[in-house]
Amino acid sequence: MRLIFLGPPGSGKGTQAKRLTERLGIPQLSTGDLLRAAVRDGTELGLKAKRYMDAGELVPDEVVIGLILERMQQPDCDNGFILDGFPRTKAQAEALEQALQEKGRPIDAVIDFEINPELLVERLTGRRICPNGHGEWHVKFNPPKEPGKCDVCGAELIQREDDREDRIKTRLEAYRRDTEPLREFYAQRGLLRAITADGEMGRISKQIEQAAQGA
Ligand code: AMP
């Protein structure tokens, strides 16, 4: 099954993708995670992406498209994947559509995370991540076992540069301007499935599974 999770930053796409990857047996492909790994590794691509990411702006299409299409070649994607945070612009959506059409493996459904915008800022400002890439927590909604420490490696959790309040505003603007129009793009193709993305985590997962399976 090939799914796209579409929704604003803080709507829980990453959390739900992680939960469902095990249940559905398909990997989560997060361009944000791939880019952060490139920044951590100090690759040329990472250096190029970092200033956009820190500012809360979108990384140029050609960088992200190349990165994700390469990732999709790997054998763990043979049975499908969950795209989390990609596509974010019309050019990305068109490049993805073309690449998948060439392989005869189109997207099955686009899950549209609908959420009250007022919740997003609190979700994002309270988020803390492991500097070694072991995951993320929330100071209020999903605290780690020991305050401020990664449950996996014990490292001091950090706040993402782009989870600071002024950057959040830029990211939400980018979402509205560049990404929200994709709802229409996928609705026209009959692929858009809306879910209510606030509330209990298990209930949200269930809605996603039903929406995906009804695809
Ligand atoms: P995320 O973890 O999905 O919130 O992404 C963090 C940051 O990575 C974004 O604010 C962008 O700077 C960059 N990014 C992630 N995915 C994309 C994408 N599909 N297109 C452009 N930039 C992206």
Side-chain angles (χ1 to χ4, degrees):
M1 189 175 307
R2 287 171 293 276
L3 301 174
I4 292 174
F5 283 7
L6 186 67
S11 58
K13 301 184 299 293
T15 307
Q16 287 294 334
K18 283 194 184 74
R19 281 175 73 99
L20 285 168
T21 186
E22 276 173 37
R23 288 180 63 88
L24 301 176
I26 48 177
Q28 169 200 22
L29 307 187
S30 154
T31 38
D33 285 350
L34 291 172
L35 289 166
R36 277 184 292 278
V39 171
R40 268 200 309 276
D41 294 344
T43 65
E44 199 179 319
L45 189 148
L47 291 176
K48 210 166 167 183
K50 187 174 186 315
R51 63 191 167 98
Y52 296 99
M53 297 173 74
D54 285 350
E57 288 164 8
L58 293 184
V59 173
D61 285 333
E62 64 276 12
V63 176
V64 186
I65 291 169
L67 187 71
I68 199 79
L69 294 186
E70 194 184 309
R71 175 66 185 85
M72 282 161 82
Q73 306 286 345
Q74 291 180 20
D76 63 339
C77 295
D78 285 352
N79 294 328
F81 45 72
I82 300 172
L83 283 172
D84 158 20
F86 181 92
R88 261 172 152 105
T89 64
K90 190 147 177 269
Q92 293 178 17
E94 284 167 348
L96 175 70
E97 188 171 61
Q98 199 190 336
L100 293 178
Q101 237 160 35
E102 281 165 13
K103 290 188 184 168
R105 294 176 163 194
I107 290 294
D108 295 303
V110 177
I111 310 296
D112 183 24
F113 283 57
E114 290 192 333
I115 187 161
N116 175 352
E118 282 165 23
L119 294 176
L120 298 175
V121 175
E122 190 183 12
R123 285 203 186 185
L124 291 167
T125 49
R127 175 157 70 178
R128 298 291 180 273
I129 65 164
C130 167
N132 301 318
H134 288 133
E136 62 181 60
W137 289 264
H138 190 282
V139 290
K140 186 164 151 197
F141 303 127
N142 178 27
K145 290 193 187 93
E146 198 182 328
K149 297 265 164 59
C150 171
D151 283 356
V152 179
C153 70
E156 199 76 38
L157 297 179
I158 55 172
Q159 184 176 43
R160 274 169 49 172
E161 196 65 36
D162 60 347
D163 278 343
R164 294 170 198 273
E165 210 153 338
D166 53 333
R167 316 291 158 81
I168 290 174
K169 197 166 160 268
T170 312
R171 289 164 68 201
L172 292 174
E173 277 165 12
Y175 177 77
R176 282 194 196 105
R177 186 185 59 233
D178 298 315
T179 312
E180 212 161 44
L182 296 184
R183 295 166 83 184
E184 183 56 32
F185 180 93
Y186 287 116
Q188 279 171 2
R189 286 155 175 77
L191 293 173
L192 199 70
R193 313 268 183 275
I195 60 128
T196 308
D198 48 61
E200 201 266 314
M201 267 201 242
R203 199 180 51 76
I204 300 170
S205 304
K206 223 183 215 109
Q207 281 185 74
I208 297 172
E209 279 187 79
Q210 280 166 354
Q213 264 137 25

